[in-house]
Amino acid sequence: MKKLFIVVLYKTEIRKCLTINSFIKCNLFNNPDNFFYIWDNSPVIQSEIECKFLRNLGENVDYSFHPENTPLAIVYNSIISQYQNIDYIAIFDQDTVLLDADYEKKLDSAIENNPQIDLLIPKIYTKSGLLYSPGKFIFPGKAIKLHDVKTGVIKAKNLTGITSGLIISQRFIASEHFLFNERLKLYGVDTDFFINYTKKRKYLYILSVQIEHSLSFEDYTISFEDRKKRDEERLDCLFIIYKHFYEKLFCHALNVYYKLRLWFQSQRGQK
């Protein structure tokens, strides 16, 4: 079984990438059937020391440098189109840490015992220990966090999650002619993916593995203006994702709510 692991870098040295280091600890680079593509969106190319470190990881590692900071959907589509002989594709951000040393053993077991399942996702926790993904949609554009979720095969309806850590079958991509939505630049790629997947498939698999992921809402060094910009970008993407009239009404309501929340936060900050 051949697996492709995609890692997207941005302003991070290869040796300091949390995701790549966790791959090393889990011995993923030791499996000759594992392939890796490191897509570097950083403005400055990696040093020769970093590139040598990457080359020493094995022959199945590809690297490309893109200082133009290519949108994620285009990144994923571009890489996947180059690896059509792969059975499963795993997508990762640069700050995702595999917490289970036997991650690949559990992943392979889940795939072999459930060959009909086209999407497998882990439980993703924040650094503070909060279960963040998967979540559940309560209405268009708004999902809630779950206190816990059982592992194994579950119904996909109304579930959502973050892209980092998901494993998708090449069979699904080929049979459904699936493409990530390239109208989305950064935010909303994961939401759009889960919405489209649940329209095509009834079930997905929750892996019995834990992953730790850095999330912006826990980064208190981000300025108010940057948070405001990110919230606005997240809201803008909803109008691309949702197409029906009643869905757009919910999006407009969310837009008003978040703008009011931002206004109250700015007023408190001025006192």
Side-chain angles (χ1 to χ4, degrees):
M1 176 171 50
K2 294 181 179 180
K3 300 186 292 291
L4 170 66
F5 293 84
I6 298 171
V7 181
V8 181
L9 298 181
Y10 182 70
K11 293 184 178 180
T12 297
E13 295 176 350
I14 293 170
R15 290 180 298 169
K16 294 181 180 179
C17 174
L18 296 176
T19 306
I20 292 175
N21 281 306
S22 73
F23 285 1
I24 293 171
K25 291 179 180 178
C26 293
N27 298 312
L28 296 188
F29 291 101
N30 296 344
N31 185 345
D33 286 329
N34 287 346
F35 295 80
F36 303 86
Y37 199 110
I38 315 301
W39 183 292
D40 194 348
N41 265 341
S42 304
V44 179
I45 196 167
Q46 301 282 337
S47 69
E48 178 55 31
I49 294 175
E50 302 298 328
C51 292
K52 183 178 180 180
F53 174 83
L54 195 62
R55 288 195 296 270
N56 289 338
L57 292 177
E59 296 180 354
N60 290 349
V61 182
D62 285 326
Y63 168 85
S64 62
F65 172 58
H66 303 269
E68 68 277 11
N69 194 9
T70 310
L72 290 178
I74 297 176
V75 171
Y76 302 152
N77 290 337
S78 175
I79 298 173
I80 291 171
S81 68
Q82 300 175 46
Y83 287 84
Q84 297 184 19
N85 63 331
I86 292 292
D87 299 304
Y88 288 86
I89 298 106
I91 296 174
F92 286 88
D93 294 339
Q94 65 186 14
D95 49 5
T96 303
V97 179
L98 305 177
L99 299 177
D100 295 73
D102 58 349
Y103 165 83
E104 188 167 25
K105 180 180 178 181
K106 291 180 177 179
L107 171 59
D108 288 351
S109 176
I111 292 173
E112 290 166 3
N113 293 324
N114 302 274
Q116 78 285 4
I117 297 296
D118 287 314
L119 177 63
L120 303 95
I121 61 175
K123 294 181 180 181
I124 296 183
Y125 291 81
T126 66
K127 287 185 175 181
S128 61
L130 173 70
L131 176 62
Y132 187 80
S133 176
K136 187 173 184 179
F137 284 116
I138 52 175
F139 54 78
K142 181 62 178 176
I144 57 171
K145 301 176 186 66
L146 302 173
H147 295 295
D148 194 15
V149 59
K150 71 174 185 176
T151 59
V153 179
I154 64 171
K155 290 184 177 180
K157 186 177 180 181
N158 293 329
L159 283 184
T160 186
I162 63 176
T163 310
S164 191
L166 69 78
I167 300 96
I168 184 171
S169 74
Q170 183 67 268
R171 175 184 57 231
F172 173 78
I173 292 171
S175 64
E176 300 296 341
H177 305 288
F178 176 81
L179 289 171
F180 286 89
N181 190 343
E182 295 186 0
R183 294 177 63 199
L184 299 166
K185 294 183 178 181
L186 176 61
Y187 298 111
V189 174
D190 42 16
T191 300
D192 186 76
F193 169 78
F194 276 92
I195 290 172
N196 284 310
Y197 178 84
T198 56
K199 290 178 180 177
K200 309 286 186 181
R201 298 290 188 271
K202 291 183 178 180
Y203 298 95
L204 56 77
Y205 191 97
I206 305 293
L207 292 164
S208 59
V209 299
Q210 294 187 11
I211 285 180
E212 184 181 273
H213 185 72
S214 298
L215 293 154
S216 59
F217 73 83
E218 285 197 323
D219 186 354
Y220 300 106
T221 63
I222 299 175
S223 68
F224 172 78
E225 287 303 318
D226 284 341
R227 288 183 183 276
K228 178 181 177 182
K229 182 180 179 181
R230 292 185 183 191
D231 280 349
E232 289 172 348
E233 289 175 350
R234 288 189 181 100
L235 288 167
D236 289 342
C237 79
L238 296 179
F239 293 97
I240 297 174
I241 296 171
Y242 293 104
K243 302 174 178 64
H244 298 296
F245 176 72
Y246 81 93
E247 293 175 331
K248 289 189 181 295
L249 284 179
F250 279 112
C251 293
H252 280 295
L254 276 176
N255 192 16
V256 172
Y257 166 75
Y258 280 114
K259 284 185 176 179
L260 284 173
R261 190 180 72 173
L262 285 169
W263 183 82
F264 281 116
Q265 287 176 348
S266 67
Q267 295 303 303
R268 285 201 302 269
Q270 292 174 9
K271 291 181 180 180

